[in-house]
């Protein structure tokens, strides 16, 4: 990690650090969290691409819609494969993390 001026620290930097943490962390059992981590990585990588080409409202709206679709898939499925479920939870949690950085009130709406 670079020691950067905080005034130049961006949302893209935060997402990159989230990705780096998932790859390098030794705190949690990687085998146990594999599906969860895969879901997070998919979301973080998507958001990293979008954060450089979208306006704030466009970005937030896109990912709120994705959160709704993930939530809907949990409601409509009776029995999901546990690995798929953990991947969806990881995907959901990653989006929530970044959306909350942008819109602090989101979790409370």
């Amino acid at each position: 990690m670079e020691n950067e001026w905080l005034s130049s620290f961006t949302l893209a930097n935060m997402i990159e650090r989230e990705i780096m943490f998932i790859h390098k962390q030794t705190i949690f059992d990687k085998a146990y969290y594999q599906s969860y981590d895969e879901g997070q990585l998919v979301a973080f990588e998507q958001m990293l691409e979008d954060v450089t080409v979208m306006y704030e409202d466009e970005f937030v709206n896109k990912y709120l819609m994705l959160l709704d679709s993930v939530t809907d898939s949990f409601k409509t499925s009776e029995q999901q494969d546990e690995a798929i479920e953990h991947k969806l939870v990881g995907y959901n949690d990653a989006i929530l993390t970044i959306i909350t950085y942008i819109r602090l009130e989101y979790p409370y709406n």
Side-chain angles (χ1 to χ4, degrees), residues 19-34:
I19 292 169
M20 191 178 349
F21 176 78
I22 292 168
H23 286 299
K24 294 184 177 185
Q25 71 87 13
T26 58
I27 301 166
F28 306 108
D29 179 3
K30 286 191 182 248
Y32 183 79
Y33 287 98
Q34 181 179 355

Side-chain angles (χ1 to χ4, degrees), residues 46-94:
Q46 281 179 320
M47 289 186 287
L48 187 57
E49 287 180 27
D50 287 343
V51 79
T52 61
V53 297
M54 290 182 162
Y55 287 104
E56 178 181 335
D57 286 341
E58 182 183 13
F59 181 90
V60 169
N61 290 336
K62 174 182 179 175
Y63 286 97
L64 289 178
M65 286 178 37
L66 285 171
L67 282 177
D68 287 343
S69 68
V70 170
T71 302
D72 289 345
S73 72
F74 279 119
K75 290 178 184 175
T76 58
S77 68
E78 293 178 19
Q79 187 78 10
Q80 281 193 30
D81 180 307
E82 193 171 322
I84 293 171
E85 186 174 316
H86 286 180
K87 190 171 183 175
L88 287 173
V89 170
Y91 185 84
N92 182 73
D93 288 354

Side-chain angles (χ1 to χ4, degrees), residues 3-11 13:
N3 189 18
E4 299 180 35
W5 285 103
L6 289 177
S7 61
S8 65
F9 198 69
T10 66
L11 186 57
N13 296 125

